Amino acid sequence: MALVKNQTCISHFILLGLFNHTPLHLLLFSTIMVMFLVALSGNGLMIFLINTDSHLHSPMYFFLSWLSLMDLMLISTIVPRMAIDYLLGHGSISFTGCGFQILFFLTLLGDECFLLAFMAYDRYVAISNPLRYSVIMSRRVCWLMVAGSWLFGLVDGLFQAIYTLSFPYCGSQEIDHFFCDIPAVLKLACADTSIYEALIYVCCILMLLLPFSVISVSYLLIFVTVLRMRSAEGRKKAFATCSSHMAVVSLFYGAAMITYMQPQTYHSSKQDKVVSAFYTMITPMLNPLIYSLRNKEVAGALKKLLGRCWESGQVTTLSCVPLKELSMLRRGTLLKPMVLLGELSESHDW
């Protein structure tokens, strides 16, 4: 609860939301809900495939599974609350609830920033130094990278959430945003926030610019390696993959930089809402499509899963076949023999 001497005590905020109740905004709201469902299903499917298919037990897919988990948690932190507020027609959120939303959101945002940098480094090692790849990117190293991502994100989230809510808030309770984003919350503070804004800028250098620099250098070195390939088709495929990866990364980091590295005086509520939608809704939906579902190995794992489900359905159907037809089936006069419900796959040593 925020309390200022001779000022009004504020126990909650009111989120004004992203949309109004107009036909156009209702259509946009429906679109976002479809994006939310696509993000949930896409990232959930990626986590399931990577953990159940032994062919995907490698460092690259290990990182992709964690990226999918982070995207799943990130979009679930923002969209369900926004949808409930829109449908109920009000967006009241407690002072403590706002703090927790800042904590969860910034922790996941920081996690993803560092994880994307580690993923770019992983691809650089795989292409430039394939013979030592399994040694450099060992299981222990990969777990340390993921743990480091979570640690840096948690420290940043705790620091900014506690510091943001330490300011006195009075007067207006309306946050002109669809979630408790720091620039929007700070506009309601009844104190000078210039020093804190400078600290946010320093944090952004560590959490945004540093990982983005690692990603840029890694992909630059990958491009140089790709240019040396003799196969024109190989170069074309590598460029297509890397360019799509960089497009999504630039969208994610660019939107975050505009939000958190731009001076407070240059912020407008409409711009902040639109920009925030990119890294809270659009990139969590695009990541499984760009990074994974276009991958042949992932597509193969998905086909294998669908094949097993179809064959399992056939077995269930056969259990209802009368004894006479079942005997004909066994003699091969009714249907072709059933294939086994799965093939043994070679396990990876990673």
Side-chain angles (χ1 to χ4, degrees), residues 65-329:
S65 66
W66 279 103
L67 178 66
S68 293
L69 178 62
M70 291 174 184
D71 282 335
L72 204 62
M73 295 173 67
L74 179 62
I75 198 169
S76 298
T77 302
I78 304 299
V79 175
R81 171 81 201 207
M82 182 204 72
I84 293 172
D85 291 344
Y86 178 78
L87 294 174
L88 295 180
H90 63 82
S92 177
I93 184 171
S94 67
F95 196 77
T96 304
C98 187
F100 276 114
Q101 192 175 55
I102 292 174
L103 170 63
F104 293 147
F105 168 70
L106 288 180
T107 298
L108 293 166
L109 192 69
D111 292 344
E112 193 158 331
C113 286
F114 281 98
L115 187 68
L116 288 170
F118 291 138
M119 289 172 63
Y121 175 74
D122 169 71
R123 290 299 82 208
Y124 162 69
V125 175
I127 292 175
S128 64
N129 201 352
L131 296 179
R132 299 191 65 238
Y133 176 70
S134 60
V135 177
I136 297 174
M137 300 302 297
S138 65
R139 192 176 187 86
R140 179 175 177 272
V141 170
C142 291
W143 274 109
L144 285 174
M145 287 180 171
V146 170
S149 299
W150 280 101
L151 178 61
F152 290 136
L154 181 60
V155 170
D156 179 62
L158 279 172
F159 167 74
Q160 297 210 43
I162 293 172
Y163 211 134
T164 300
L165 297 185
S166 67
F167 286 105
Y169 291 92
C170 55
S172 176
Q173 298 171 273
E174 296 181 344
I175 300 176
D176 196 2
H177 214 295
F178 57 91
F179 70 99
C180 288
D181 200 15
I182 287 180
V185 174
L186 288 179
K187 290 180 180 179
L188 306 182
C190 299
D192 182 18
T193 61
S194 57
I195 297 177
Y196 179 46
E197 289 174 30
L199 290 175
I200 292 177
Y201 191 84
V202 173
C203 286
C204 288
I205 293 177
L206 298 175
M207 304 296 293
L208 293 174
L209 286 183
L210 183 59
F212 186 71
S213 300
V214 172
I215 293 172
S216 300
V217 172
S218 296
Y219 275 105
L220 179 62
L221 295 174
I222 289 173
F223 280 133
V224 172
T225 305
V226 168
L227 288 174
R228 296 174 183 172
M229 290 182 177
R230 295 183 180 181
S231 171
E233 185 178 354
R235 286 198 301 269
K236 184 178 179 181
K237 290 181 178 179
F239 274 124
T241 302
C242 292
S243 59
S244 61
H245 288 186
M246 279 302 297
V248 177
V249 166
S250 299
L251 186 67
F252 177 79
Y253 280 95
M257 288 177 188
I258 290 174
T259 300
Y260 292 103
M261 298 192 72
Q262 195 175 33
Q264 189 76 5
T265 53
Y266 292 95
H267 280 273
S268 67
S269 59
K270 290 184 179 180
Q271 173 189 294
D272 288 347
K273 290 178 184 179
V274 173
V275 173
S276 297
F278 280 97
Y279 57 82
T280 58
M281 303 176 196
I282 297 178
T283 52
M285 180 194 67
L286 291 178
N287 278 337
L289 301 176
I290 297 297
Y291 279 99
S292 307
L293 296 183
R294 293 178 57 193
N295 187 291
K296 289 183 178 179
E297 292 180 333
V298 175
L302 180 59
K303 288 179 181 178
K304 187 187 297 183
L305 175 65
L306 294 176
R308 287 176 179 174
C309 293
W310 183 77
E311 290 167 2
S312 178
Q314 275 195 327
V315 170
T316 303
T317 304
L318 286 174
S319 65
C320 302
V321 176
L323 184 60
K324 182 179 178 180
E325 281 78 3
L326 188 58
S327 63
M328 293 173 65
L329 171 64

Side-chain angles (χ1 to χ4, degrees), residues 8-21:
T8 305
C9 173
I10 291 180
S11 60
H12 67 280
F13 294 110
I14 298 174
L15 295 169
L16 298 183
L18 186 60
F19 304 118
N20 298 319
H21 289 274

